Amino acid sequence: MSLLVALSLSLAPAEVEPGPTVWAEAGARPWTLCRDYERQAESLLQRVSQRADEAQAEAPWGPRARECPGAPSVLVLAAMRELSKVPSYPPLVDLTAALPRLAEAQRQTREQALAWLTQAQVEAQRRGEPPPVLTYYFTAYAALGLGDPEAARAALARAQRRGEVESHLLDRAAAVAALLAGELQTALDLAYRARELAPASDRQTAVYILALIYDRAGAPDAAMRELSALRPGGFGFERGLVDTLLPLHERLYLNALEHKAQRNPNNATRLWEAYLACPEPEAPERTLVEQRLAELRPRGSVVPTSPGRRGP
């Protein structure tokens, strides 16, 4: 079962919180209540890390983290919940104009998650205890979402030493870090190994990452084969799991590839145009996307793809 599938099962409709006590209204939660929250969080983190097929009714872990800032497991679980948030696209005709809002929403969630994860490490150190399970894996997740491959790699190395998750999950995240660092051969090796080692429940998520890297490494036909081989309807839930791992501009690129594989050239065009409007892509990536856009234009005709854009 996918780690993020477990996350989604863990985050079902929210339960009703008890009313605030006098102490809560004064700005603090009773110690016993925070300890109860921490026991719940420890249990849930263990089940998620072990990929147990169990569901747990969601609790509002963000508010609990603010109420109990000295409870490391509560902080890590709140960060896990925050990392599941991905800003939704507007209609694609409005996508480029919405990029600043989408980027800010992504930044806020990843920075909030990092703040909670850092606080969890500080509190665990104060107690003389190791950080809760998944602390470093989720730290890497947050760093990737912010486009920081070096911080992600450092966190993944610590997650590996602690055995926080299975090796194929580490490889998948490390492949994204290598892609962001421009190390395409390393990214290919890691993504391919992640796909080969992934259990059936995680295979499609690994395929999305491999297809993205294939295309960027100059193998667009291989990328299309990988995406086209996904089962019908595969462009849904598993794609959402990948979205939590990628920075916004790489999410746009992969979504464009999907639409190309689905034979939706207009949507692919708008998504790649939005990618070009992001500040992160460098000259080689911009040149590649211009080539992809040219390939989508029917020969001998000019196809307007967005207001103000004209063909050659």
Side-chain angles (χ1 to χ4, degrees):
M1 182 182 187
S2 166
L3 182 63
L4 286 178
V5 171
L7 166 61
S8 68
L9 290 175
S10 304
L11 303 175
E15 64 185 28
V16 177
E17 282 289 280
T21 64
V22 173
W23 295 107
E25 291 174 346
R29 280 285 185 177
W31 179 87
T32 54
L33 184 57
C34 285
R35 185 57 190 144
D36 286 343
Y37 290 166
E38 188 164 24
R39 290 193 184 101
Q40 293 175 37
E42 288 169 354
S43 176
L44 184 52
L45 286 171
Q46 285 294 334
R47 289 202 296 273
V48 171
S49 71
Q50 295 166 8
R51 303 164 60 79
D53 190 5
E54 299 184 37
Q56 167 84 13
E58 182 194 6
W61 292 106
R64 287 183 175 186
R66 295 181 180 94
E67 295 162 358
C68 303
S73 292
V74 173
L75 294 165
V76 173
L77 201 55
M80 183 175 78
R81 176 67 180 91
E82 199 72 9
L83 290 171
S84 72
K85 299 177 181 177
V86 177
S88 299
Y89 293 156
L92 293 186
V93 69
D94 301 321
L95 180 57
T96 298
L99 286 177
R101 174 180 60 79
L102 296 175
E104 179 62 15
Q106 172 123 347
R107 184 193 65 78
Q108 288 181 3
T109 58
R110 272 55 194 162
E111 289 188 351
Q112 177 62 79
L114 275 179
W116 277 328
L117 291 162
T118 301
Q119 189 175 346
Q121 294 173 60
V122 169
E123 179 59 24
Q125 184 177 32
R126 188 189 67 79
R127 295 182 178 190
E129 301 172 353
V133 66
L134 297 175
T135 295
Y136 295 113
Y137 182 67
F138 288 139
T139 298
Y141 240 77
L144 290 174
L146 291 169
D148 188 345
E150 294 311 314
R153 283 169 159 168
L156 287 171
R158 301 188 78 171
Q160 182 177 28
R161 287 196 295 271
R162 285 175 20 117
E164 289 191 343
V165 294
E166 297 172 53
S167 62
H168 73 92
L169 296 175
L170 293 170
D171 285 343
R172 191 173 69 197
V176 175
L179 174 67
L180 296 179
E183 300 169 9
L184 293 178
Q185 186 58 56
T186 300
L188 272 175
D189 294 342
L190 289 165
Y192 184 82
R193 187 170 68 187
R195 187 193 63 176
E196 293 304 297
L197 295 178
S201 60
D202 277 351
R203 185 66 55 82
Q204 284 195 301
T205 307
V207 165
Y208 285 116
I209 297 299
L210 181 59
L212 171 62
I213 295 170
Y214 267 145
D215 189 84
R216 294 285 281 282
D221 291 342
M224 289 296 102
R225 284 196 301 271
E226 292 288 344
L227 291 174
S228 298
L230 294 175
R231 68 174 184 263
F235 296 94
F237 185 66
E238 290 85 357
R239 176 63 173 89
L241 301 182
V242 179
D243 285 345
T244 65
L245 183 60
L246 296 173
L248 177 61
H249 66 289
E250 297 295 359
R251 178 186 169 201
L252 292 165
Y253 195 107
L254 179 55
N255 212 174
L257 282 181
E258 289 178 291
H259 280 283
K260 182 180 178 183
Q262 292 175 314
R263 302 182 186 278
N264 293 327
N266 289 339
N267 287 349
T269 295
R270 292 189 186 280
L271 286 155
W272 266 319
E273 288 176 340
Y275 174 87
L276 290 176
C278 294
E280 293 87 357
E282 298 185 359
E285 289 77 31
R286 293 182 182 277
T287 298
L288 179 61
V289 169
E290 290 291 355
Q291 293 173 357
R292 297 287 178 266
L293 289 170
E295 292 165 0
L296 292 174
R297 298 186 192 112
R299 293 182 181 179
S301 64
V302 176
V303 180
T305 56
S306 65
R309 182 183 177 94
R310 296 174 179 238

